[in-house]
Amino acid sequence: MAHKINLNDDYSKKIKLFFESHENHINNKKLFKDFNIQNIHDAYEFQNKFNEFQLIKYGYPIGYKIGLTSKKMQKLCGVNQPNYGVIFKKRLINNLVINKEGFLNLGIESELCLKVSKNIELDVKVTKENIIDFIEYIAPAFELIDDFNTSYPINILSLIAENSWNKGVIIGKKNKIFPTNLSKMNSFLFKNNKILDSSYGNEVLGHPFNPAIWLINTLKKRKVFIKKGTIILTGSWTKTVFPTKGDSFKFTIDKLGSVNISIN
């Protein structure tokens, strides 16, 4: 059955216009101000409404992205806490060549992705000691975002409301057997075959699995549990890169392999 949205109220109609401005790559910051979102709770409530329209166009949810999990990213954006958004099925990209014209301001973030191996019910306590029991694989990944030419530091309420800017996910080599000392793993981001940035796993909330634990606990407060098969992007290890046509990128993590992307 197709998902239906009640458009009889003005609020839903305004959100539909806001969603359509996203799809048409129109800077919508002025329109966003009309919603008068005052706090984090309201921003996530708006995100839920906004994502009803994404569900229709991009298919069912397959996971979550976590943002602003490193000091580099928090400093860039002027915030001191993580955030999350939903990843939809058609946002999972197999094409390694991306058309820049499909974005208002394309950004690329270098991440560790994990896939959940079994349901994590609301009464299950996940810790850094047992989270490995819930992981099917981990992989280097790129997240594609569109910041709509926002000014930095950002308005975190706007970021959350706009589904944390997620526009796509590219997953690299999948590792079902992996080292647990990921905090000590080094990573490198290459641009056009030259090192652009590097970082260690401990720069992402102390360990790349910690953002996933944060997400599980945050969703638990909203009475949402994590389903088997969910993918989770655990936050960028490097600063967001804003590419130009012709650029190519490779993100590699020690002992885990790499992920590649080219921009047209």
Side-chain angles (χ1 to χ4, degrees):
M1 182 181 294
H3 184 75
K4 294 183 179 180
I5 300 172
N6 180 9
L7 291 177
N8 291 328
D9 64 284
D10 290 339
Y11 189 72
S12 294
K13 290 178 181 177
K14 287 172 68 175
I15 295 177
K16 183 175 185 287
L17 288 174
F18 187 71
F19 172 77
E20 290 172 347
S21 72
H22 261 257
E23 295 302 295
N24 294 318
H25 314 302
I26 299 171
N27 190 314
N28 48 29
K29 302 305 179 187
K30 185 175 181 180
L31 179 61
F32 178 76
K33 291 180 181 179
D34 292 342
F35 293 104
N36 195 31
I37 294 172
Q38 297 294 318
N39 55 56
I40 297 290
H41 176 270
D42 291 348
Y44 280 116
E45 288 298 309
F46 183 96
Q47 183 189 111
N48 290 340
K49 294 286 187 180
F50 178 79
N51 282 344
E52 289 183 4
F53 294 95
Q54 293 223 79
L55 178 66
I56 293 171
K57 184 166 184 177
Y58 295 105
Y60 57 84
I62 61 169
Y64 297 91
K65 61 83 49 99
I66 309 169
L68 307 180
T69 57
S70 70
K71 293 297 182 183
K72 287 182 180 180
M73 289 301 297
Q74 289 182 359
K75 183 177 180 180
L76 173 68
C77 295
V79 301
N80 61 3
Q81 61 182 302
N83 63 284
Y84 72 83
V86 179
I87 301 171
F88 293 89
K89 183 181 179 181
K90 293 180 183 178
R91 297 291 196 190
L92 187 60
I93 300 170
N94 295 316
N95 187 2
L96 303 185
V97 179
I98 302 300
N99 182 5
K100 192 173 184 294
E101 299 301 322
F103 302 80
L104 185 61
N105 191 37
L106 170 63
I108 300 173
E109 299 186 345
S110 308
E111 317 220 358
L112 181 83
C113 173
L114 65 84
K115 185 175 183 179
V116 175
S117 61
K118 53 189 173 183
N119 287 352
I120 305 176
E121 304 290 349
L122 294 178
D123 61 347
V124 174
K125 184 176 181 180
V126 178
T127 67
K128 61 182 180 181
E129 287 77 24
N130 70 1
I131 189 172
I132 193 171
D133 297 332
F134 299 91
I135 297 175
E136 178 180 329
Y137 69 71
I138 63 175
F142 281 129
E143 181 187 10
L144 307 182
I145 67 163
D146 194 333
D147 73 356
F148 287 80
N149 291 318
T150 195
S151 299
Y152 289 80
I154 66 169
N155 176 354
I156 192 170
L157 300 182
S158 173
L159 171 68
I160 291 170
E162 297 173 76
N163 198 38
S164 298
W165 293 344
N166 177 262
K167 296 296 181 182
V169 179
I170 298 173
I171 300 175
K173 181 184 176 184
K174 299 172 182 176
N175 300 267
K176 293 192 174 183
I177 300 174
F178 50 85
T180 56
N181 61 337
L182 292 172
S183 61
K184 298 179 180 179
M185 295 292 107
N186 200 3
S187 72
F188 294 93
L189 175 63
F190 296 86
K191 176 183 177 182
N192 302 329
N193 298 315
K194 295 181 180 180
I195 295 175
L196 180 65
D197 201 352
S198 65
S199 66
Y200 285 91
N202 62 8
E203 295 182 47
V204 185
L205 292 186
H207 190 287
F209 291 164
N210 286 342
I213 296 170
W214 171 87
L215 175 72
I216 292 165
N217 290 330
T218 299
L219 291 176
K220 188 179 295 187
K221 295 174 183 176
R222 301 175 68 86
K223 306 301 181 184
V224 177
F225 75 97
I226 303 289
K227 297 179 180 179
K228 176 183 177 180
T230 296
I231 63 171
I232 300 175
L233 292 181
T234 57
S236 189
W237 291 35
T238 61
K239 288 183 179 179
T240 306
V241 177
F242 298 95
T244 57
K245 288 184 179 180
D247 283 342
S248 63
F249 297 90
K250 178 181 179 181
F251 177 59
T252 181
I253 302 176
D254 285 351
K255 302 181 181 180
L256 298 182
S258 61
V259 60
N260 299 273
I261 191 174
S262 298
I263 309 302
N264 268 352

